[in-house]
Amino acid sequence: QKEVEQNSGPLSVPEGAIASLNCTYSDRGSQSFFWYRQYSGKSPELIMSIYSNGDKEDGRFTAQLNKASQYVSLLIRDSQPSDSATYLCAVNSGTYKYIFGTGTRLKVLA
Amino acid sequence: NAGVTQTPKFRILKIGQSMTLQCAQDMNHNYMYWYRQDPGMGLKLIYYSVGAGITDKGEVPNGYNVSRSTTEDFPLRLELAAPSQTSVYFCASSYGSGISYEQYFGPGTRLTVT
């Protein structure tokens, strides 16, 4: 069974700190990696995608991919209370199938 | 550009009733998907479609049916509703599958079967 693993949290960080969210995956053939933010009662919202090893930055968000270690992470700099949400990691192996983790709940404390 | 839209937002069904969840996208995406999300369980794929007239089962298709007569629309039919189908249903779409094909979600339908 191909899986995506995330720590369910909650991960609590103070306002202004860096939040670090981690995800591991089991399928070495995975090609595309995505981070979604999901507020309570809302739908997943795509915030980052990454396809090659290394870092990808977009504003306060940085996605990091290490295919050798089968590890993808999301860093949120200068965390704000509005960043409090569940963050879903998703992986695609080049087919129709996107495999989602169960998410990490982030709480940013004001 | 409305993206992915879903109706209704909420629905309560009695056991044995049927209903259709509507999904539409205006991004000219080929691929469309139906997921259900139960608390703490992540997203489970119900059905997907790679284009008009082509659909296939996902992980949890039992009790559901789909059709795809146009590129834009992908309705999900629940026949003989059961309490196990109480969930939040999300429709999603992407240009295709594979590298760089990002998936976008609709706002969801919260369904309760009693």
Side-chain angles (χ1 to χ4, degrees):
Chain A
Q1 176 72 10
K2 296 171 183 174
E3 293 182 343
V4 174
E5 302 279 352
Q6 294 181 259
N7 188 318
S8 61
L11 172 67
S12 294
V13 300
E15 183 175 357
I18 296 175
S20 177
L21 304 161
N22 304 314
C23 170
T24 59
Y25 59 94
S26 61
D27 182 7
R28 285 196 173 274
S30 299
Q31 300 180 18
S32 310
F33 307 86
F34 307 94
W35 283 100
Y36 289 84
R37 177 176 61 200
Q38 187 174 25
Y39 292 114
S40 181
K42 301 295 186 182
S43 62
E45 173 193 7
L46 181 67
I47 54 172
M48 290 287 288
S49 55
I50 186 166
Y51 312 109
S52 54
N53 280 330
D55 294 1
K56 179 182 177 182
E57 187 174 316
D58 184 0
R60 295 187 296 113
F61 300 100
T62 299
Q64 299 175 317
L65 175 61
N66 184 327
K67 290 186 178 180
S69 301
Q70 295 176 243
Y71 177 94
V72 58
S73 64
L74 179 70
L75 301 178
I76 306 175
R77 288 182 300 282
D78 189 24
S79 295
Q80 301 297 309
S82 59
D83 294 324
S84 298
T86 296
Y87 289 79
L88 305 176
C89 174
V91 172
N92 183 283
S93 303
T95 70
Y96 70 90
K97 192 169 185 180
Y98 294 76
I99 302 174
F100 286 82
T102 54
T104 297
R105 190 156 65 97
L106 173 67
K107 296 176 71 173
V108 180
L109 308 173
Chain B
N1 191 333
V4 181
T5 57
Q6 291 183 240
T7 56
K9 287 186 169 53
F10 304 94
R11 183 72 185 267
I12 298 174
L13 281 182
K14 294 191 185 305
I15 293 171
Q17 288 184 322
S18 300
M19 76 165 293
T20 298
L21 281 66
Q22 301 292 344
C23 174
Q25 54 90 13
D26 62 359
M27 297 178 282
N28 202 30
H29 284 174
N30 293 319
Y31 279 51
M32 296 187 75
Y33 309 80
W34 275 105
Y35 292 92
R36 60 177 287 172
Q37 187 178 41
D38 301 314
M41 297 297 290
L43 288 157
K44 301 292 186 187
L45 182 64
I46 304 171
Y47 271 94
Y48 70 100
S49 168
V50 303
I54 307 170
T55 63
D56 208 347
K57 297 176 181 179
E59 299 174 76
V60 290
N62 291 344
Y64 307 95
N65 272 302
V66 294
S67 59
R68 183 105 180 263
S69 57
T70 67
T71 300
E72 294 78 21
D73 300 299
F74 190 40
L76 177 72
R77 178 82 177 163
L78 276 73
E79 304 282 2
L80 298 175
S84 61
Q85 293 177 305
T86 293
S87 189
V88 181
Y89 292 85
F90 292 109
C91 180
S93 71
S94 67
Y95 277 114
S97 66
I99 195 163
S100 82
Y101 289 143
E102 298 166 344
Q103 195 174 64
Y104 296 91
F105 285 81
T109 295
R110 188 174 296 273
L111 175 67
T112 302
V113 181
T114 62

